[in-house]
């Protein structure tokens, strides 16, 4: 099934969305918010699924036209947002561009940071920044939403906790990152609010495209209407989502509604393009001695989406303007 949170209140209003993203119906008689549904998933998911089937069959009372612009992120705020860096092509490029070797441990132990989760941007909300000189960048990613995960869970146990999948624009302020990392304490100011796709979907909706704990689909990224990249999210992902969840839960439990990100989708095949500007700039640095592509400017627009085999949007589109603010 496909679920969304319409804007209204801190946690939004839970809605069930049709498979083709054209119709929706409020589900607040079942659960007031997506978080409430996740807290009682085993009891409420079957009722939501029944409503979803009725909506797709044209039999849901109160159905209305679905407007992606009316959506908050599926979880407007979450108990946990931990973002991995599972595409080691991307990691290796970052280090190579500054002349550093990649430690062997990176192939066996995932990189992950804890992001701010007290408020996410809606999929059509603007990206606000006070200064273009901060190096505003988009990062196209995939994320999963979990149920409760006990501390020390294995990857096999973690896989059973995956409830939903969605897309991410993990906004980064690239020129603030070096000084923060130099302190040895990780990201903070360089990682403002992220945005997630209009809808989150259950694994059964993805069919064979979800396998090996990965989503095997190209992630389409457009910048000012021009195609920027379409790397495949299932290729070159060194750690799958069960492994990332298990990494996050090694020493502490995760509450239902925790979000685990894949990191910037990246492929070894350069011809597919990139899902962030920094990666293109790294290739330019290696090929030409200096980056050529600027970071985002005020007035720019970014679109992140994933299409099924028939060319239909699976999650809806993240589409954001960059504004001064």
């Amino acid at each position: 099934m496909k679920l969304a949170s319409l804007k209204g209140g801190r946690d939004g209003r839970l809605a069930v969305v049709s498979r083709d993203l054209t119709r929706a119906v409020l589900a607040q008689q079942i659960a007031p918010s997506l978080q409430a549904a996740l807290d009682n998933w085993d009891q409420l998911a079957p009722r939501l699924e029944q409503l979803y089937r009725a909506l797709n069959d044209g039999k849901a009372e109160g159905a209305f036209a679905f407007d992606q612009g009316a959506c908050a992120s599926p979880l407007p705020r979450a108990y946990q947002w931990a973002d991995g860096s599972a595409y080691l092509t991307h990691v290796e490029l970052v280090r190579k561009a500054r002349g550093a070797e990649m430690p062997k441990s990176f192939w066996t132990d995932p990189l992950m940071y804890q992001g701010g989760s007290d408020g996410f941007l809606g999929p059509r909300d603007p990206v606000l920044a006070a200064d273009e000189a901060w190096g505003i960048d988009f990062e196209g990613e995939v994320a999963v939403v979990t149920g409760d995960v006990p501390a020390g869970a294995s990857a096999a146990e973690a896989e059973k906790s995956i409830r939903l999948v969605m897309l991410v624009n993990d906004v980064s302020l690239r020129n603030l990152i070096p000084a923060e990392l130099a302190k040895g304490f990780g990201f903070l100011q360089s990682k403002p609010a992220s945005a997630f796709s209009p809808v989150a979907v259950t694994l059964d909706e993805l069919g064979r495209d979800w396998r090996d704990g990965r989503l095997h689909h190209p992630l389409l990224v457009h910048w000012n209407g021009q195609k920027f990249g379409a790397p495949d999210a299932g290729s070159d992902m060194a750690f799958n989502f069960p492994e990332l969840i298990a990494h996050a839960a090694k020493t502490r439990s995760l509450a239902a509604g925790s979000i685990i990100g894949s990191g910037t989708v990246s492929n070894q095949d350069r011809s597919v393009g990139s899902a962030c500007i920094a990666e293109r700039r790294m290739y330019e640095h290696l090929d030409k001695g200096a980056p050529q592509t600027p970071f985002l400017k005020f007035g720019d627009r970014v679109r992140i989406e994933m299409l099924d085999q028939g060319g239909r949007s699976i999650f809806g589109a993240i589409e954001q303007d960059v504004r001064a603010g």
Side-chain angles (χ1 to χ4, degrees), residues 10-182:
R10 286 183 181 269
D11 295 303
R13 297 172 295 148
L14 180 62
V16 173
V17 182
S18 62
R19 183 170 288 110
D20 63 4
L21 305 183
T22 62
R23 305 286 290 169
V25 61
L26 287 173
Q28 292 185 285
Q29 75 278 17
I30 299 173
S33 66
L34 180 54
Q35 182 61 55
L38 291 162
D39 286 339
N40 299 278
W41 188 256
D42 290 342
Q43 292 75 34
L44 299 182
R47 294 176 60 189
L48 291 169
E49 180 66 36
Q50 185 177 19
L51 182 58
Y52 180 63
R53 289 197 298 269
L55 179 62
N56 286 314
D57 291 340
K59 299 177 181 178
E61 293 184 10
F64 51 88
F66 179 54
D67 176 11
Q68 297 184 32
C71 291
S73 280
L75 284 169
R77 56 179 177 171
Y79 290 117
Q80 177 85 257
W81 160 227
D83 197 15
S85 192
Y87 299 89
L88 296 186
T89 299
H90 178 79
V91 178
E92 195 169 24
L93 272 173
V94 174
R95 298 183 69 85
K96 189 175 182 180
R98 65 173 190 261
E101 293 293 324
M102 191 164 76
K104 290 183 179 180
S105 64
F106 283 19
W107 292 97
T108 57
D109 191 31
L111 294 170
M112 185 172 286
Y113 82 92
Q114 190 169 37
S117 61
D118 54 326
F120 297 122
L121 299 175
R124 302 299 168 89
D125 290 348
V127 174
L128 301 177
D131 194 339
E132 290 179 347
W134 286 350
I136 311 162
D137 198 359
F138 51 83
E139 289 191 63
E141 305 185 10
V142 179
V144 297
V145 181
T146 76
D148 291 313
V149 183
S154 66
E157 292 168 333
E159 186 168 20
K160 297 175 183 177
S161 76
I162 298 174
R163 301 288 182 257
L164 299 162
V165 183
M166 45 190 188
L167 304 182
V168 192
N169 180 15
D170 180 40
V171 180
S172 290
L173 303 175
R174 298 292 185 184
N175 293 337
L176 300 186
I177 289 176
E180 286 203 305
L181 293 186

Side-chain angles (χ1 to χ4, degrees), residues 239-277:
F239 303 99
N240 65 17
F241 279 107
E243 291 168 330
L244 292 174
I245 296 167
H247 177 80
K250 181 176 181 178
T251 61
R252 54 180 171 173
S253 61
L254 305 180
S258 292
I259 305 172
I260 305 295
S262 67
T264 305
V265 177
S266 179
N267 292 168
Q268 294 181 36
D269 179 4
R270 292 175 57 172
S271 69
V272 300
S274 300
C276 70
I277 298 172

